[in-house]
Amino acid sequence: MNSIDQKEYQTFSKGLKYELLFRNLGKQVFSELKNNPPGSMTADSLDLLSKMEHHNTKVMNPVRRQFNVDSSIGCKDKIFAKTVTFSLKMMPYLGSRSLEGSAERFVNQLEEIQASSPSGFEEEMNYMVEHEKALYGYLVHLNKGELIQAHSVLKEFVLDYNIQ
C-alpha cells in the first residue's frame, strides 16, 4: 500500500465505505427489479445495470481490501434496498426521479472521494466516478421518457469498459 498518514487513510476509507453502501444498494435493487421492471425501466437496462454493479465489485474490491473496508452486505443494507425497491415498484416515476437526484449528488461525492485518493488508484477512482455518471445519465434520459437514449448510455458504458 502507498504511504499515507492516518488521517488520509481514515478519510479515504470512510469514503470507500460510503461508496460501497450505494454499490450494494444498486446490486440488490437492480437484480430484484430485473424480473419485473417498474415503470419505463426495461429488463435489458436492468441487466446492464446489474452487470455494471458486479463489474464495479471486481474493480473496487482490491482497493476496499487494502483499506480494510468490509464488502459484505449487511442487514441494514438489505433493509435499505427493500425500501428503495418497494418505492420503485409502488411509485416508479417518483422513485426514479428520487434516484436521479441521489445519483447527481453521488457523482459529486464520488469526485470528492476520488480527490482524496492516495496515488496509485487513479484507474479505479476514474472507473468509480464514470460508473456513477453513466447511471445518472441513464436516469436523466429515463425520466425524460427517452428510453432508447437511456439504454444507450448503459450500453456505451458496458462497451467502453468491456463489461461481460
Side-chain angles (χ1 to χ4, degrees):
M1 178 169 40
N2 300 323
S3 178
I4 60 172
D5 71 31
Q6 188 64 23
K7 187 173 190 228
E8 289 173 314
Y9 180 94
Q10 289 175 338
T11 300
F12 186 61
S13 178
K14 185 177 179 181
L16 290 174
K17 289 175 186 173
Y18 185 70
E19 180 266 343
L20 179 63
L21 171 73
F22 287 94
R23 296 290 60 95
N24 283 343
L25 173 68
K27 263 191 257 181
Q28 294 174 87
V29 170
F30 299 144
S31 67
E32 187 171 328
L33 293 176
K34 200 165 39 170
N35 295 326
N36 190 12
S40 54
M41 290 182 167
T42 65
D44 287 343
S45 289
L46 287 163
D47 184 53
L48 291 176
L49 287 163
S50 289
K51 286 179 180 181
M52 288 168 57
E53 292 300 338
H54 288 286
H55 186 73
N56 178 276
T57 299
K58 290 177 189 172
V59 170
M60 293 300 295
N61 267 351
V63 179
R64 293 178 187 135
R65 274 194 297 276
Q66 284 192 17
F67 287 86
N68 297 315
V69 175
D70 181 7
S71 294
S72 60
I73 296 175
C75 185
K76 289 179 185 176
D77 296 326
K78 291 176 183 178
I79 292 169
F80 187 31
K82 291 287 182 194
T83 303
V84 171
T85 302
F86 179 77
S87 72
L88 283 168
K89 286 180 178 179
M90 300 311 292
M91 304 171 290
Y93 180 75
L94 289 175
S96 63
R97 283 274 181 214
S98 174
L99 280 181
E100 179 186 332
S102 293
E104 181 178 26
R105 286 185 301 279
F106 198 42
V107 166
N108 295 324
Q109 292 163 331
L110 291 178
E111 288 172 336
E112 290 173 12
I113 294 167
Q114 181 181 32
S116 76
S117 172
S119 63
F121 301 106
E122 292 80 9
E123 189 175 319
E124 293 89 345
M125 295 298 101
N126 186 58
Y127 176 83
M128 176 185 74
V129 170
E130 293 304 315
H131 173 272
E132 194 62 24
K133 284 180 178 178
L135 175 57
Y136 173 65
Y138 164 75
L139 290 166
V140 167
H141 288 295
L142 180 75
N143 290 327
K144 288 181 179 178
E146 301 167 344
L147 305 183
I148 294 171
Q149 293 93 326
H151 188 75
S152 292
V153 168
L154 301 178
K155 214 169 182 177
E156 184 177 315
F157 183 83
V158 167
L159 290 172
D160 286 349
Y161 285 92
N162 196 29
I163 298 172
Q164 302 300 316

